[in-house]
């Protein structure tokens, strides 16, 4: 029916946020960069390739769970509007639309930092579902949730793909608490969480044989090079993905085997990465039913239902 995009990460503010994060993250030790900067056009395309890799079971598991359980979840939630955080491609929203029974979903509100992806997604969705209202928000779900339009009917907020696992515990708590306040009357939250499993399956999912995840990881340096006029040599960094049991997460790093020096011209910043030192680019936290329930409860959310194949789970929450 209609498409509208509110853009809250204009190139200027993206540049500013990246500049602040690079200054903070690459100045001292340990070095780190937030994973949201993976997703320029190249990074989003690499992520799409990751979702089809034999080792990356997460997307296939989530699709199968949606195919099996979306009807029941929607029957119970009866949403008139779907808000999707870190939406990326429209694949999962399509599955939800296909499972709609009874109350039709009239409006789709995706929020993502990748505006190009949102626009492509809206174009193809409207071709197939011309009756849909799409209100895209190009923004950071950690900073711009207050810019979401007010609810247009009962809400289902979807946070799929295990993206919640890319946040550390305090950030997850902040986000879930904020989402609780955005559910409105009778609203539901649908979260996709990846489950703790054997180390070899977890590490393979983040270190595939074809090297696509390694390229995805190095892409963050290309983004920094382009946006801040820096001269990192992405190829000189080795992709590392390791399970850390104590924190229940796979960590991705970019490791320097030899001393690397780079200049970030826009920041007048010289970065030195010593041999053996790494730049920590992403954490991918894994959950159990117990830890996921505790996380929801701490944010004032009750677990309404839990659907799993033993490797991955869809959790439905509601305000307690
Ligand atoms: N939901 C999709 C995509 C997951 S990839 C799926 O399940 O396959 C993660 C998505 O979240 C990307 O599209 C990326 O651009 C977006 N993203 C990552 N961090 C973000 C942030 N802080 N704010 C908004 N979007 C973010
Ligand atoms: C988007 N996010 C949930 C992915 C994950 O599994 O943590 C990103 C990713 N990183 C490496 N491979 C995929």
């Amino acid at each position: 029916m209609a498409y509208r995009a509110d853009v809250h990460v204009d190139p200027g503010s993206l540049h500013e946020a990246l500049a602040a994060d690079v200054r903070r993250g690459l100045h001292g030790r340990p070095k780190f960069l937030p994973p949201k900067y993976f997703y320029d056009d190249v990074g989003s395309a690499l992520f799409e390739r990751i979702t089809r890799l034999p080792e990356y079971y997460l997307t296939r598991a989530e699709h199968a769970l949606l195919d099996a359980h979306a009807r029941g979840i929607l029957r119970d939630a009866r949403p008139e509007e779907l808000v999707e955080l870190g939406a990326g491609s429209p694949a999962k929203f399509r599955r939800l639309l296909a499972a709609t029974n009874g109350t039709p979903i009239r409006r789709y509100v995706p929020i993502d930092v990748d505006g190009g992806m949102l626009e492509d997604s809206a174009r193809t969705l409207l071709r197939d579902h011309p009756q849909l209202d799409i209100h895209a928000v190009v923004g950071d779900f950690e900073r711009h949730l207050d810019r979401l339009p007010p609810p247009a009917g009962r809400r289902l907020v979807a946070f799929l793909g295990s993206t919640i696992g890319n946040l550390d515990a305090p950030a997850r708590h902040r986000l879930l608490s904020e989402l609780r306040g955005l559910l409105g009357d009778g609203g539901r939250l649908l979260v996709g969480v990846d489950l703790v499993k054997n180390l070899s399956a977890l590490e393979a999912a983040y270190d595939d044989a074809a090297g696509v995840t390694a390229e995805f990881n190095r892409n963050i340096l290309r983004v920094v090079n382009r946006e801040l006029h820096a001269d990192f040599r992405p190829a000189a960094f080795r992709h590392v993905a390791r399970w850390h049991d104590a924190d229940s997460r796979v960590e991705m790093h970019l490791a320097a085997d030899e001393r690397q020096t780079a200049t970030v011209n826009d920041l007048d910043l010289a970065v030195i990465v010593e041999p053996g030192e790494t730049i920590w680019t992403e954490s991918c936290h894994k959950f159990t039913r117990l830890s996921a329930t505790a996380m929801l409860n701490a944010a004032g959310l009750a677990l309404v239902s839990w659907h799993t194949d033993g490797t991955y789970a869809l959790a439905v929450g509601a305000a307690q």
Side-chain angles (χ1 to χ4, degrees), residues 58-264:
L58 288 81
T59 310
R60 277 186 298 280
E62 192 170 63
H63 282 173
L65 287 169
L66 284 171
D67 288 343
H69 301 289
R71 268 186 89 74
I73 292 170
L74 292 176
R75 198 182 311 118
D76 178 52
R78 292 176 293 121
E80 293 157 288
E81 136 169 311
L82 193 119
V83 176
E84 187 174 10
L85 271 58
S89 87
K92 293 171 186 182
F93 178 58
R94 281 184 188 283
R95 287 185 146 75
L96 287 164
L97 268 185
T100 309
N101 47 108
T103 319
I105 297 176
R106 285 201 297 269
R107 188 166 75 162
Y108 178 46
V109 184
I111 170 165
D112 203 292
V113 279
D114 183 353
M117 178 72 113
L118 286 182
E119 207 177 310
D120 291 349
S121 152
R123 196 172 311 117
T124 65
L125 275 170
L126 285 175
R127 204 171 49 215
D128 300 336
H129 303 276
Q131 78 293 350
L132 205 62
D133 219 345
I134 302 182
H135 188 146
V137 178
V138 185
D140 182 337
F141 53 60
E142 292 194 83
R143 293 171 52 223
H144 300 126
L145 286 183
D146 58 337
R147 320 273 175 92
L148 288 176
R154 211 173 9 263
R155 261 187 177 164
L156 177 64
V157 176
F159 194 17
L160 296 168
S162 175
T163 304
I164 193 165
N166 296 139
L167 305 176
D168 62 14
R172 291 198 297 267
H173 181 71
R174 271 196 304 276
L175 184 69
L176 288 173
S177 305
E178 194 171 359
L179 289 180
R180 181 189 180 279
L182 291 173
L183 290 182
D185 234 14
R188 293 273 194 270
L189 176 67
L190 172 64
V191 193
V193 289
D194 193 21
L195 301 182
V196 175
K197 58 185 64 63
N198 70 74
L199 174 151
S200 55
L202 283 168
E203 289 189 346
Y206 292 91
D207 194 4
D208 61 281
V212 183
T213 311
E215 277 317 300
F216 175 74
N217 197 4
R218 291 186 190 106
N219 190 56
I220 207 162
L221 294 180
R222 290 190 200 99
V223 169
V224 173
N225 281 349
R226 185 185 61 233
E227 298 295 329
L228 300 176
H229 302 100
D231 56 4
F232 284 98
R233 294 192 306 125
F237 287 84
R238 186 165 44 84
H239 169 66
V240 177
R242 290 270 177 282
W243 172 247
H244 293 255
D245 203 46
D247 302 300
S248 203
R249 67 187 179 215
V250 175
E251 287 183 12
M252 291 207 328
H253 292 253
L254 289 165
D257 291 326
E258 287 163 23
R259 188 172 200 261
Q260 296 299 318
T261 57
T263 305
V264 186

Side-chain angles (χ1 to χ4, degrees), residues 17-28:
L18 178 65
D21 285 329
V22 166
R23 207 186 286 283
R24 190 177 317 122
L26 296 188
H27 187 62

